[in-house]
Amino acid sequence: MERSDRRLSIALGIGLAGLVAVPWYRIESGFFALDWVSNFPAGSAEGPALVQAISHGRWTLAIITLIFAAGLAARAFRVSSFRSHLLVAAGAAGIVFLVLQGLAIGFTGWTWTISESLFGALEQGQPSMGAGAGLVALSFILMSSFGLAERGVLRGDAFVISSIALLIFLVSIFVFYPVGSMFIGAFQSFDGSFDPSGFVRNIQDPSIWSLDCVIGGGRCGIAWRTLLLAILAAFGSTMVGLCFALVATRTRFPFKKGLRLLTILPIITPPFVIGLALILLFGRAGVVTQQLSNLFGIEPGRWLYGLTGILIAQVLSFTPISFLVLIGVVEGVSPSMEEASQTLRADRWRTFWKISLPLMKPGLANAFLIGFIESMADFGNPLVLGGSHGVLSTEIFFAVVGSQNDPSRAAVLAIILLFFTLSAFLAQRVWLAGKSFATVTGKGDSGAHIALPRPLSIGIHAVVIPWVLFTLVIYGMIFFGGFVRTWGLDNTLTFEHYRRAFSFTFENGAFAWTGVAWNSFWTTIEIALISAPLTAAVGLLTAYLIVRQRFVGRNVFEFALMMSFAIPGTVIGISYIMAFNLPPLEMTGTALILVACFVFRNMPVGVRGGVAAMSQLDKSLDEASLTLRATSFRTMRKVILPLLRPAIVAALVYSFVRAVTSISAVIFLVSAEYNMATSYIVGLVENGEYGVAVAYSSMLIIVMIVIITFFQLLVGERRLRRENRVATAFVPSATPQEKAAS
Amino acid sequence: MTTHSNGSVVFDNVRKQFGTFTAIHGLSLHIEPGTLVTLLGPSGCGKTTTLRMLAGLEHPTSGRILIGGKDVTMLPANERDVSMVFQSYALFPHMSVLENVVYGLESSKMNKNEARSRAEDGLKQVGLAGYGQRLPAELSGGQQQRVAVARALVLEPQVLLLDEPLSNLDARLRRRVRTEIRELQQRLGFTAVYVTHDQEEALAVSDRIVVMQDGAVAQQGSPRELYEAPASSFIADFIGEANVVPCEVLRSDGGQAIIRVARLEHSVPGRSARPGPAKIAVRPNAITLDAAEAAAFPGSIRHAAYLGDHVEYEVETEAGTLFVVDPAVDRNLTPATNVSIGFHPRGIAIIDN
């Protein structure tokens, strides 16, 4: 029983420190600058909660202190039903009150009129929450969790309960609170009062909903255009992806390994780069355009700038993703099904159409929905190619940064975009759930996939080979483009762009990064290095809870976490601005908001990887560890994590790379101090400095390739072994413990 | 690893529900210290759930569990004085054999040197001294099984839990290992709770057997009691095979009951049989096919299977189809042969009376 006392003491210690030892409110110059130490604890800005409550008349903080004291008092009792109830109640009350008072009292006083009429006007508002508030919130959460643990909830496992509680709390703050704020923001005017007129005006805006292209001669509304684009892009990338998957698994195509390499391209390529390369090829000054103009006298047109160009760029960008999804699906079709079909007198053609393809249907639908969501969320390609024919994600951006500056319009557009992506996500989860025919039967499922019918085989090669060549040309353009002085006008080769971006000098023995790119480059690496381990940790912890623990609402928990995957980056970006610009939480312009954004946007991928890897670990390993007196924390550290090393490395690398290459959310959140590489490049593109932009992009791609290769080599062997097998989600007999069990 | 303190186990009206499904209905059970008790039953009967509740891997919905007289109902698994041998052994594949065995000792905050020497002792006990540096994957199935036992035993738990410990071994090895486990248990004198669905295994190792059915205890007792005096046709059929034949008890008379089966009267052991309709469980080897006595009744062979040391017959009779095991392999009765059926009183038990 002493274990429960010890952990409770730690939780209470944290809370106590939060109340008396650090400033309650946010410090303007940053907590770690430590400027606040000189005025601590008496200063009205720097004081801890206790001082704020006593000498600065902040009675809400006094209430928080009192609630905390109730938890403190519980420590004096022995473990009992009373103590556990008290802890749960104090923790829950504390966190609820903390949140409520934070939301209710803004800079100038009450934010809600109802509280003003209830409690009377406040003489002072309050700044944003700071270190003290954070520690006390943590303490309250732990308090409740430990109380629940003492009551035997979840087999009395304090670590598991606190992890769940903390994750829910963090996801609420960094996913649901911003999205909620955005919804509210749609109904607010600039001063924050309720004003539905902006919402009403925007939701009826014909530029969003117009159906002119169907019934009249004009253009359709932006919502319809985005939807059309997403459907076309999803369809295109699914079809091409299927061709790739078939070629890679069912033919004797000689460069299969090379095809698989394609799948890492979208991860390492900043999302606007394909669009950029297309401009270099087909833009008005593009190579192809100019050649056609010279040879055949075809007038250089602007056809690329608009939905056509975006569509091409998106199909190019998302084909590797759908290839990755479909390769598992195609390989997952049990060969014995096809063999059975053949013994039943069906020829190859009939076997493919009647057996193989229907078995792949759920997988195809899944790939389609992923492509749909990706297209909806894509920001980089529409930004460089869209011109005046924008899509929802870019319109949101221009609604806040452009001359319009209409947050209500941005919120409405974001809500529409969110509606589309969440519908697709729901369709994917609800409609496709349990419909997978990927027949993973484990042992005894040998046999070979039959060859494709000849005409089909020729057909898919006719798609795949040109497409691969096209992709190669595109990437060739990116690398070549950085060495050309002025694209289309002056095609002399030069190192000028690289020198401008990445020069450094030695002067008087001092080393200086003089290139224009270095500043954003190092910021990017720094932020990515901070967020990658956090993302991996949060993702794998979540995976552990989802796979290994049974608790009430587990499905809802998983669903909510995975849902953040379907929230487009632009929506996250705009909602973060709306949520974290004013008390109770103020983070815009800091590195923290970038890190938070990356962690909660990329976490679902860590979760998926972790879930897949953990499902391969026999549950009895954890249970054995528990019955051997280890806590779940020790179990995780000593048993699960070492066995999950490949998944951890994958999550680390992936979240690092994603942090470096993503743009959609980042572009809203960067500041002069913390500018990221991608948003800097987009800035270059907008200024027409294609040379430097392309040079910088290729540099990023090369850095990413180096990093991925490095980690591949580090954990290479196991991954390689897995790739040679028929790679389904579960690989029988590939993991050591299964060998041990057999 | 010689002192295994106390070690009694009590289940007091324990219920376990998973959602709307009730896995265990009000289970009450008392296990004496130092005995090996088997939980036996078909899959889904709740035996593994019972074991896992004892281990702390599941918590009961209501009721109490006591180990060594102490209420552990709400105690998490890692704070209970039990340890468990898993069906899959659950050896940590990334740790050596010795690290596996040391793991539990270090989790209990024992100092490293002592833990190590205890672990080496433990490996010696199961005959694996010198295998400490190997990885589990480098051992045979039987050796892995012994590592799992050693890993559990070095913690000197009050109760050792074994969850189908032999199911991953081949038939030959199974017999040897179960003897080893029984010997180890008797030598060290710890309490053991053993889950299996194999009745032969249960008969071979147990002091007592608890047969479970649909989340409740169907019958408990020593192996001999269960075999010789099954309480229901379920038990009779589960522990050894049995033909269940309807009968009528005519009278009981000094430990013997006179019953009527197929119009003929038999005298069978049955102390408290009440007159009236009942059933008898007849062991397949208690049926003779060449009975000469007056109580013999006619039958006709329907199917015969030669199995080396015995022949299995299905015999059509007016009491229904009987399953017969006949050690006389040379008789070679073919289908449609008429036989004369007799019951051996020692293999008959009155049930459902």
Side-chain angles (χ1 to χ4, degrees), chain A residues 478-724:
Chain A
I478 299 165
F479 288 104
F480 182 63
F483 296 102
V484 174
R485 188 170 295 277
T486 312
W487 195 261
L489 296 176
D490 179 0
N491 285 344
T492 47
L493 296 182
T494 175
F495 282 106
E496 175 59 26
H497 304 309
Y498 280 90
R499 201 166 55 236
R500 263 199 67 201
F502 297 106
S503 63
F504 44 82
T505 50
F506 282 106
E507 261 176 40
N508 314 327
F511 186 79
W513 305 100
T514 45
V516 291
W518 287 120
N519 183 22
S520 59
F521 181 80
W522 291 126
T523 308
T524 305
I525 299 291
E526 182 191 334
I527 302 266
L529 279 179
I530 296 171
S531 54
L534 289 174
T535 314
V538 173
L540 291 170
L541 180 64
T542 310
Y544 167 76
L545 297 175
I546 289 173
V547 176
R548 286 298 206 255
Q549 305 293 336
R550 315 241 147 247
F551 51 92
V552 183
R554 186 177 62 108
N555 289 331
V556 180
F557 178 72
E558 182 190 0
F559 185 78
L561 287 176
M562 299 311 283
M563 202 174 75
S564 63
F565 196 59
I567 302 176
T570 340
V571 176
I572 285 283
I574 188 86
S575 61
Y576 269 38
I577 295 188
M578 289 186 168
F580 299 127
N581 211 12
L582 287 171
L585 290 170
E586 217 181 313
M587 286 188 279
T588 44
T590 64
L592 184 63
I593 197 170
L594 288 167
V595 171
C597 171
F598 287 137
V599 168
F600 290 93
R601 264 186 71 62
N602 297 333
M603 176 190 71
V605 179
V607 175
R608 272 188 201 175
V611 165
M614 226 170 284
S615 310
Q616 293 187 3
L617 292 186
D618 193 348
K619 192 168 185 213
S620 63
L621 288 174
D622 317 17
E623 293 179 347
S625 174
L626 283 181
T627 61
L628 293 168
R629 316 275 194 274
T631 59
S632 356
F633 182 68
R634 181 172 152 89
T635 303
M636 208 156 144
R637 201 165 55 88
K638 288 282 190 178
V639 177
I640 298 177
L641 288 184
L643 290 171
L644 283 187
R645 198 172 296 147
I648 296 169
V649 174
L652 276 175
V653 173
Y654 184 84
S655 43
F656 178 83
V657 172
R658 282 276 298 218
V660 172
T661 57
S662 76
I663 173 79
S664 51
V666 166
I667 201 159
F668 292 90
L669 304 177
V670 292
S671 52
E673 192 182 354
Y674 296 102
N675 200 359
M676 301 283 284
T678 47
S679 64
Y680 184 76
I681 296 174
V682 166
L684 291 171
V685 174
E686 285 178 333
N687 294 340
E689 294 184 60
Y690 289 109
V692 182
V694 169
Y696 197 168
S697 302
S698 26
M699 197 61 153
L700 276 187
I701 293 176
I702 290 168
V703 169
M704 295 302 102
I705 291 177
V706 168
I707 287 171
I708 288 187
T709 317
F710 175 74
F711 278 105
Q712 279 292 19
L713 292 178
L714 213 65
V715 281
E717 207 185 318
R718 194 174 150 143
R719 260 194 74 82
L720 284 179
R721 208 194 305 158
R722 185 166 300 172
E723 258 166 348
N724 288 343

Side-chain angles (χ1 to χ4, degrees), chain B residues 92-171:
Chain B
F92 305 130
H94 58 302
M95 297 183 190
S96 71
V97 166
L98 189 68
E99 282 168 340
N100 262 286
V101 182
V102 163
Y103 185 85
L105 296 167
E106 285 187 349
S107 300
S108 336
K109 304 270 185 292
M110 182 180 281
N111 96 31
K112 278 208 158 59
N113 289 328
E114 195 188 342
R116 199 187 151 88
S117 78
R118 283 262 296 268
E120 276 166 352
D121 274 356
L123 284 175
K124 207 182 290 167
Q125 288 274 10
V126 296
L128 284 176
Y131 284 79
Q133 294 318 310
R134 300 220 193 161
L135 285 176
E138 295 167 340
L139 301 183
S140 71
Q143 289 170 328
Q144 289 177 18
Q145 212 272 348
R146 281 185 275 166
V147 175
V149 171
R151 184 175 73 173
L153 276 182
V154 289
L155 294 175
E156 297 180 4
Q158 287 194 42
V159 185
L160 181 70
L161 311 176
L162 301 114
D163 183 13
E164 311 225 5
L166 307 183
S167 63
N168 277 322
L169 300 176
D170 64 56

Side-chain angles (χ1 to χ4, degrees), chain A residues 335-562:
Chain A
S336 49
M337 301 283 172
E338 293 172 352
E339 286 174 345
S341 163
Q342 279 182 300
T343 62
L344 295 168
R345 316 261 163 86
D347 60 11
R348 286 179 185 182
W349 192 253
R350 186 174 157 79
T351 300
F352 181 78
W353 286 109
K354 293 284 177 182
I355 304 295
S356 315
L357 200 60
L359 285 174
M360 293 172 199
K361 256 186 201 160
L364 289 171
N366 192 23
F368 179 86
L369 289 173
I370 291 174
F372 180 87
I373 293 175
E374 290 276 350
S375 166
M376 279 273 170
D378 186 19
F379 176 77
N381 288 315
L383 189 67
V384 298
L385 286 172
S388 55
H389 308 251
V391 293
L392 281 171
S393 60
T394 49
E395 282 299 297
I396 293 170
F397 178 64
F398 291 124
V400 282
V401 301
S403 49
Q404 328 178 20
N405 195 7
D406 184 351
S408 166
R409 179 177 168 82
V412 168
L413 291 172
I415 290 167
I416 296 168
L417 181 56
L418 195 60
F419 169 77
F420 282 135
T421 55
L422 284 186
S423 309
F425 175 74
L426 279 175
Q428 191 194 5
R429 299 287 299 204
V430 178
W431 175 50
L432 286 180
K435 281 218 181 119
S436 172
F437 296 128
T439 31
V440 186
T441 50
K443 287 163 196 168
D445 193 23
S446 56
H449 288 295
I450 62 165
L452 295 170
R454 202 166 167 70
L456 183 67
S457 174
I458 294 170
I460 60 172
H461 277 95
V463 173
V464 166
I465 293 171
W467 199 257
V468 169
L469 294 178
F470 190 36
T471 307
L472 290 178
V473 169
I474 291 278
Y475 278 84
M477 288 323 312
I478 299 165
F479 288 104
F480 182 63
F483 296 102
V484 174
R485 188 170 295 277
T486 312
W487 195 261
L489 296 176
D490 179 0
N491 285 344
T492 47
L493 296 182
T494 175
F495 282 106
E496 175 59 26
H497 304 309
Y498 280 90
R499 201 166 55 236
R500 263 199 67 201
F502 297 106
S503 63
F504 44 82
T505 50
F506 282 106
E507 261 176 40
N508 314 327
F511 186 79
W513 305 100
T514 45
V516 291
W518 287 120
N519 183 22
S520 59
F521 181 80
W522 291 126
T523 308
T524 305
I525 299 291
E526 182 191 334
I527 302 266
L529 279 179
I530 296 171
S531 54
L534 289 174
T535 314
V538 173
L540 291 170
L541 180 64
T542 310
Y544 167 76
L545 297 175
I546 289 173
V547 176
R548 286 298 206 255
Q549 305 293 336
R550 315 241 147 247
F551 51 92
V552 183
R554 186 177 62 108
N555 289 331
V556 180
F557 178 72
E558 182 190 0
F559 185 78
L561 287 176
M562 299 311 283

